[in-house]
Amino acid sequence: MARQISFFWWALTYMSCTGEEEKSLPTALLKHRPLGHVRRLRNPPVYRPLVDLSTMEERSLIITYRFDRATIQELCAQLEPDLMSAIRHPTGIPPQVQVLSVLHFLASGSFQTTVAMASGMSQPMFSNVLSRVLSALLKHMRSYIVYPQVEDLPTVKGDFYALGYIPNIIGAIDGTHVALVPPHRSEQVYRNRKSYHSMNVQMVCLADQYISQVNAMFPGSVHDAYILRNSSIPYVMGQLQRHRVWLLGNSGYPNLSWLLTPVRNPRAEERYNEAHGRTRRVIERTFGLLKARFRCLHMTGGFLFYSPKKVCQIIVACCMLHNLALRRQVPFLQEDGPDDGVVAAVEPVDSDEEEAEEEDIDNRDSVIQQYFQ
């Protein structure tokens, strides 16, 4: 009580000395608060990274993050503007550490808690970093996943011809499943033919396993042919028909004017089916390499505990990084792999094949008669 009387007396004395008698006592008290009531400014948290890119060996970088030092630095420089501008509240985490932690997560398929501890951050903080890096990376998708340009078609066709001696092929198409924990209300929609929940991912690849198209928006129960009809591929291939080019697909797709499938119950078409199989096998090898390089997409890495939208972002990001590794000629290394960790050939993953109704078989028959009789 004595302190309150002293403070009121001090306020009245202050107003009389400064000529502020006209001001009310509450206004003076708010303007001239005692120092003990002044709100202190919090210092931003200081993050001390556990990861130092400059001290790691090149081989360890490729095993842990799937890229060499130069490629990681290039990727960090590209994403840094978005990673810095997205920070509303200072976290102190450098963009390079954010990128490295996400690369480690995608490559290892580990839980968020494990990757967060290895990077020196909490699990909620890593969850925020994962969303931030994925959003920054997907802004550059059209720079990483593109259809072949018209001027590149002769080279693309030549590379495919060397695989199975089928002319005018510019891509192999197929679907693969990426396991996830489904939303509770639509669990059955995500259950695929093999009785587990997944996203059915359609891809088109070139002869060098470069992914030229990816569609990861459909749940596991959707048929491959339906995904094809609702993708951009029919439009793109329609624009290229004047160049007389084709895609190769399995029997789960319809035979179209721009899509060649194998012959069921062949008689005199064995040579065509054999050449078709040798050429189309590149898409299966692409799936195998993609899922081996980024274990989060493989069943051995467990199910992805994210919403379907987030899983779609992870899949597309892995395809982008796969193409980046091919472009920069980064070898795929693993600790227990053959040839001192260099994997020369990755076993293809199983490919789902569901029979589809055939259409436009005259186009395929003309190819068989012209090149395989």
Side-chain angles (χ1 to χ4, degrees):
M1 185 64 181
R3 291 184 178 179
Q4 292 180 356
I5 295 175
S6 176
F7 177 70
F8 276 96
W9 179 256
W10 168 83
L12 290 171
T13 304
Y14 178 85
M15 287 189 295
S16 62
C17 294
T18 57
E20 298 186 0
E21 294 85 358
E22 69 281 1
K23 291 189 176 180
S24 63
L25 180 60
T27 304
L29 294 180
L30 291 174
K31 182 177 181 181
H32 307 286
R33 291 185 300 177
L35 295 178
H37 292 269
V38 177
R39 185 177 180 180
R40 295 181 179 179
L41 296 177
R42 296 180 59 185
N43 295 326
V46 177
Y47 174 77
R48 295 176 176 83
L50 301 179
V51 180
D52 189 358
L53 189 64
S54 61
T55 60
M56 295 185 65
E57 297 181 354
E58 200 79 4
R59 174 183 169 83
S60 298
L61 286 173
I62 297 177
I63 291 175
T64 307
Y65 305 112
R66 300 301 192 242
F67 294 101
D68 56 15
R69 182 175 287 103
T71 305
I72 292 175
Q73 291 173 342
E74 174 188 304
L75 185 62
C76 291
Q78 185 180 45
L79 302 183
E80 183 174 2
D82 293 311
L83 297 181
M84 294 298 295
S85 62
I87 300 178
R88 296 181 179 179
H89 304 287
T91 60
I93 303 179
Q96 185 180 95
V97 177
Q98 298 182 50
V99 174
L100 289 176
S101 63
V102 173
L103 289 179
H104 185 196
F105 168 77
L106 298 178
S108 64
S110 300
F111 289 104
Q112 284 192 3
T113 304
T114 305
V115 177
M117 292 177 60
S119 303
M121 64 183 75
S122 65
Q123 184 274 327
M125 185 179 296
F126 174 76
S127 180
N128 186 22
V129 167
L130 176 61
S131 299
R132 186 180 302 162
V133 173
L134 289 176
S135 297
L137 187 60
L138 292 176
K139 289 183 179 180
H140 304 275
M141 183 183 68
R142 296 187 182 276
S143 301
Y144 287 83
I145 302 177
V146 294
Y147 288 102
Q149 302 299 313
V150 174
E151 58 270 19
D152 299 327
L153 292 182
T155 302
V156 174
K157 291 189 291 186
D159 293 340
F160 270 108
Y161 185 80
L163 296 179
Y165 304 108
I166 301 181
N168 300 329
I169 303 300
I170 63 169
I173 184 172
D174 203 352
T176 186
H177 290 268
V178 176
L180 83 163
V181 177
H184 177 70
R185 295 183 177 180
S186 54
E187 177 266 340
Q188 290 298 328
V189 178
Y190 292 88
R191 187 181 296 275
N192 59 33
R193 294 172 59 244
K194 297 185 177 181
S195 298
Y196 68 90
H197 302 96
S198 66
M199 299 294 292
N200 191 358
V201 186
Q202 176 188 270
M203 296 186 198
V204 178
C205 77
L206 305 184
D208 59 357
Q209 302 183 19
Y210 178 92
I211 298 173
S212 59
Q213 194 272 346
V214 58
N215 190 330
M217 298 186 300
F218 291 89
S221 64
V222 178
H223 194 281
D224 290 349
Y226 179 86
I227 300 177
L228 175 64
R229 289 194 301 268
N230 291 273
S231 67
S232 61
I233 295 177
Y235 173 78
V236 173
M237 293 303 298
Q239 297 296 311
L240 295 175
Q241 276 305 283
R242 64 180 183 275
H243 299 284
R244 189 174 165 78
V245 293
W246 300 292
L247 297 180
L248 290 183
N250 60 27
S251 57
Y253 294 101
N255 197 84
L256 305 174
S257 60
W258 45 266
L259 176 60
L260 299 178
T261 61
V263 177
R264 303 175 198 164
N265 304 318
R267 297 179 180 178
E269 301 87 2
E270 290 85 357
R271 287 184 57 207
Y272 165 79
N273 274 7
E274 182 181 353
H276 186 285
R278 286 200 309 268
T279 308
R280 196 190 63 84
R281 204 168 292 132
V282 66
I283 186 65
E284 298 177 2
R285 293 196 298 269
T286 301
F287 291 154
L289 179 58
L290 175 68
K291 293 186 176 183
R293 178 173 271 141
F294 301 105
R295 303 299 296 182
C296 66
L297 303 181
H298 199 276
M299 287 285 291
T300 57
F303 287 47
L304 289 171
F305 289 82
Y306 300 98
S307 66
K309 180 180 178 180
K310 190 70 165 288
V311 172
C312 176
Q313 293 177 338
I314 291 174
I315 294 170
V316 176
C318 289
C319 293
M320 295 171 60
L321 296 172
H322 167 85
N323 285 350
L324 176 62
L326 293 180
R327 183 196 307 168
R328 297 298 297 263
Q329 299 181 350
V330 180
F332 172 51
L333 304 180
Q334 56 183 8
E335 293 178 331
D336 55 351
D339 300 327
D340 195 26
V342 180
V343 178
V346 179
E347 291 296 324
V349 297
D350 293 334
S351 175
D352 292 336
E353 292 193 17
E354 301 181 23
E355 291 189 357
E357 296 182 0
E358 293 188 355
E359 303 174 10
D360 199 6
I361 60 175
D362 292 339
N363 174 63
R364 185 180 61 191
D365 290 343
S366 64
V367 173
I368 295 174
Q369 293 174 5
Q370 184 174 358
Y371 299 105
F372 296 97
Q373 290 295 339

